[in-house]
Amino acid sequence: MVNPNILKAPELASYNVRGNQPALGVDKLCYLTDTISDNGIWEEINPLESKLPTFIFQLAIVLFVTRLSLLLLKPLRQPHFVAELLAGILVGSIAIASEFARKHIPTLGSVFAASRIMMMETVGNLGLIYHVFLIGLEIDLRALTSVGPKALGIGISGALFPFFFGASLYTFIAEYPENFRWGCLYWGVALSVTGLPVIAEIFAKLKLLHSEIGRIAMSSALVNDFSSWILLVFSLAITSSSSSTYLSLFSVLFFIIFSIFVIRPALLWMLRKSTREGEDYSEATICAILTMVLACGLITDICGVSSVLGAFVFGLVIPSDLLGHKFVLIVQGFVSDLLLPLYYASLGMRTHLGGISREDLLMMVLISLLSFIPKIVCTLAMSYFYRISLHEGFTLGILMNTKGLLAVMAMSLGRDHTVINEDGFAIMLFTIFFMTIVTSPIVNFLYRRTKKFLPSQHRVLQNLKPDSELRILTCIHEVQTAAGITALLEISHASRRSPICVFALQLMQLKKHTTALLIVHGASGTSSESYSRADGQIDQLITTFNNLEHQNLMISVQLLTAISPYSTMHEDICSLAEEKQVTLIILPFHKRQTIHNNMEEMNPAYKDVNNNTLENAPCAVGILVDRGFGTLLTSKIDDDKTRSCRIAMIFIGGRDDREALSYALRMVRHPKVSLIVLRFILDETSAQNVDADLSLTMEGEDEGEAEKKADDIFVNEFRQKVQNDDSLVYTEEMSSNGAETVKTIRSLGQDFDLYVVGRGLGFFSPLKGGLDEWSDCPELGSIGDLLLTSDFSSTASILVVQHHAELNPGSST
């Protein structure tokens, strides 16, 4: 039966402006005069006696402790959840609520007094509602349809078995009165939870996100997350009212169906009608969406379950890419950075650790260790059934024990429903913290790197056999750079004898709020291995590379996404190159050409990524300076003229130049490509008059002579291979210094579409004398940087090739 008093106005005392009760029959309701104080420090009035200054003081302290915890735990690679929970416990339980703080820091004790945390707790719960909405917003329900049987079995068993184990553990250990008997349900829910965003963050930091175990763990955590939500709804319905449990469940089920078939279509219609394609949403639209979040939360709260369920369901029914990544970042920055720490602080205020004895602490540790058992056991059982190795099964079991916000929220709701007392709440909160903080070190130990990225002599273009498959890893920061890269792949001459396998890696920066990490799954119907739909760029990349595959059947593409900080992004690139046995990595230059033919910087971090990759790559690396190469090549390939794409290769000498010449040799086999190879020979007679410091040096004369002999042998073999090829012109020019080299290159003319050069930092020669000192972009080498200047064609793109790093002594920048 519906509660008849649900909409009845509460009986509140009425006061007038003086704080006295009004006369009989006068209906007035006013704030007390001491709620706001404008006197400041100039009057003898304590500003902390007013609510707003007290709340601001609370907010400042909570944010300071939270940021300090994040800073201290960052070197330990701990997820943000651990730092925020630790900060909340410190603020609420140890630093503020203890007797020491009240005696020695009375101001803090008064600010966080029990009578003054109502506003902080209310704002914190508001932040929780919006945070849960954003979590639901960025979970793609289509991922559940592609979950394999392994992840499905591990996810469901990893939720049910720990739930019953936790409930039994609560009943066995605790001797609570009758009104606390249902606390076992919330203990079970807390142990059944696997923190999906926390696992994604741990995997991203450990560079395991795109590995096999990463895909299984993410899919299993997604299934486990939904199972835990269902268990939480049942627990809330049971503990809300024993007589109306079925009514609560049926009303929640009706709300979910209503959200799918009514709220979702209505919202889509409203957004499409009020916003044109490509435009940002108006303020009224955003305000309406945020208001609907609270409305859905209110509905589920009225139904007898928590308001966070309504916000979560509302986020789920909205398509993940509808509101856009910009909307998510703006709202998340305010909610998760400013409001959510208040929720953790309010949890800390409920956790009283000051009176815990040594025996109680040992009991907490024992329960934490026992709580690891159920998920490890069921995961190992599923791993044995699906023939997963013992090592990976144990690692998955450890990862499935990672907790997140849902586990903490379940304990808080149990405390709100008065079915868990202080001791039970404190024990499980400590268990959640302990189980999450030990996960990252254990997984890091099990998957620690025992060696650096080692180069392979067989994975360079020079040693690639004519009938071998060429494996190329292309890196893409922005969609605009994909056209030039696909054009370069097109003229790389894939054939039946030597096909090309391309691994297109989309690089995205890992931020605290990159919840797109929640969606890491294979795309059926495409050649994508794992990707994220953040920013909507993946759809354009799929289209671009699918067109490349259709135009050339000898090219196969696998599309992947790596999400990591810029400082460690090169580790993703190098580890993937090592795993896939790649021969060549192609990186986009960190500058792009404007409509005025100037080069503007896209992102300074891209340059650092390129430099770090050049220094650590286990194979050859090419940096492409795209000046409209993709558009230009498309028009020339469609032209009926043969050999319409003109390429110039400048050969100075050294490993890098030999690698660049090997790639140019492969390009010239394409029917639309013509190649000019210009080799510079040192004029020994003129070079005698040059300063001795510019004489040929490369860590000693013996090594320099060895490189010169290697160049001669390689060039002679190259000329024998192409001696009957009319599409190639080979010329040699004498030069004694850098000035003559520049003059000769300029005399080639500017009618080229692409220059191919070696980076050449490991080979010092008078042929480049003085050019290195004037280089603005060392990653391009002296010749590549020279071609980038305004003295040369502004329409010709540049490809700079480097031999792998370990065998190039001058590769470091």
Side-chain angles (χ1 to χ4, degrees), residues 376-574:
I376 294 178
V377 170
C378 65
T379 304
L380 287 176
M382 288 292 110
S383 300
Y384 177 78
F385 181 78
Y386 289 108
R387 297 182 180 180
I388 301 176
S389 66
L390 181 63
H391 178 264
E392 290 190 351
F394 180 75
T395 306
L396 282 173
I398 295 294
L399 285 167
M400 295 299 287
N401 278 292
T402 304
K403 304 302 175 186
L405 179 61
L406 182 58
V408 173
M409 192 172 61
M411 296 306 301
S412 178
L413 292 173
R415 184 73 183 277
D416 291 339
H417 285 73
T418 65
V419 295
I420 296 180
N421 65 354
E422 295 181 0
D423 294 338
F425 181 81
I427 290 174
M428 185 49 63
L429 196 65
F430 175 82
T431 301
I432 293 171
F433 178 77
F434 177 79
M435 295 177 71
T436 306
I437 201 172
V438 301
T439 300
S440 183
I442 293 177
V443 176
N444 192 26
F445 174 78
L446 294 174
Y447 278 85
R448 66 186 186 278
R449 299 189 184 278
T450 57
K451 61 183 180 66
K452 295 176 64 178
F453 302 112
L454 298 178
S456 172
Q457 286 283 1
H458 302 286
R459 280 169 30 215
V460 290
L461 294 168
Q462 301 174 38
N463 297 334
L464 189 68
K465 296 181 180 179
D467 56 349
S468 299
E469 180 187 54
L470 174 60
R471 294 185 163 222
I472 300 178
L473 173 62
T474 64
C475 301
I476 302 169
H477 293 284
E478 300 180 8
V479 176
Q480 294 81 359
T481 61
I485 291 177
T486 53
L488 184 64
L489 296 172
E490 173 65 27
I491 63 172
S492 297
H493 188 61
S495 61
R496 289 184 177 273
R497 188 181 182 190
S498 180
I500 296 178
C501 179
V502 179
F503 301 96
L505 182 63
Q506 183 189 19
L507 300 174
M508 297 181 61
Q509 182 187 12
L510 173 68
K511 302 177 181 178
K512 174 187 174 181
H513 308 303
T514 312
T515 47
L517 286 172
L518 305 181
I519 317 165
V520 182
H521 56 277
S524 58
T526 68
S527 54
S528 172
E529 181 178 351
S530 65
Y531 64 90
S532 162
R533 291 193 174 271
D535 284 329
Q537 295 184 357
I538 192 66
D539 294 328
Q540 302 179 43
L541 293 179
I542 289 177
T543 302
T544 301
F545 283 99
N546 278 345
N547 292 336
L548 177 64
E549 285 183 306
H550 293 155
Q551 294 171 3
N552 195 324
L553 300 179
M554 293 299 104
I555 297 179
S556 61
V557 181
Q558 286 186 328
L559 191 61
L560 306 99
T561 298
I563 308 177
S564 58
Y566 285 129
S567 58
T568 59
M569 195 171 283
H570 66 282
E571 296 180 11
D572 282 326
I573 299 172
C574 296

Side-chain angles (χ1 to χ4, degrees), residues 11 85 172 209 252 363 378 419 557 700 706-707 732 750 803:
E11 296 182 0
L85 182 58
F172 177 75
L209 194 60
V252 169
M363 178 62 70
C378 65
V419 295
V557 181
E707 284 296 319
E732 293 183 351
Q750 300 185 0
H803 202 271

Side-chain angles (χ1 to χ4, degrees), residues 290-301:
L290 297 180
T291 304
M292 292 177 69
V293 175
L294 299 179
C296 291
L298 178 61
I299 292 173
T300 52
D301 198 27

Side-chain angles (χ1 to χ4, degrees), residues 170-183:
Y170 178 89
T171 306
F172 177 75
I173 292 179
E175 297 179 357
Y176 296 129
E178 183 70 15
N179 57 333
F180 289 130
R181 71 183 188 277
W182 290 116

Side-chain angles (χ1 to χ4, degrees), residues 688-709:
Q688 293 177 359
N689 299 324
V690 182
D691 184 54
D693 293 337
L694 293 178
S695 60
L696 186 61
T697 60
M698 188 175 176
E699 296 185 1
E701 296 181 0
D702 294 339
E703 189 170 353
E705 289 296 326
E707 284 296 319
K708 188 175 182 302
K709 292 180 180 179

Side-chain angles (χ1 to χ4, degrees), residues 52-70:
L52 183 58
T54 301
F55 173 73
I56 294 174
F57 201 0
Q58 292 171 346
L59 180 61
I61 294 175
V62 170
L63 293 181
F64 173 77
V65 177
T66 301
R67 288 292 140 187
L68 183 62
S69 300
L70 289 170

Side-chain angles (χ1 to χ4, degrees), residues 256-273:
I256 295 174
I257 296 175
F258 183 80
S259 300
I260 296 174
F261 294 103
V262 178
I263 295 180
R264 175 188 171 100
L267 182 63
L268 293 177
W269 176 82
M270 181 189 73
L271 293 177
R272 289 168 182 166
K273 185 178 180 180

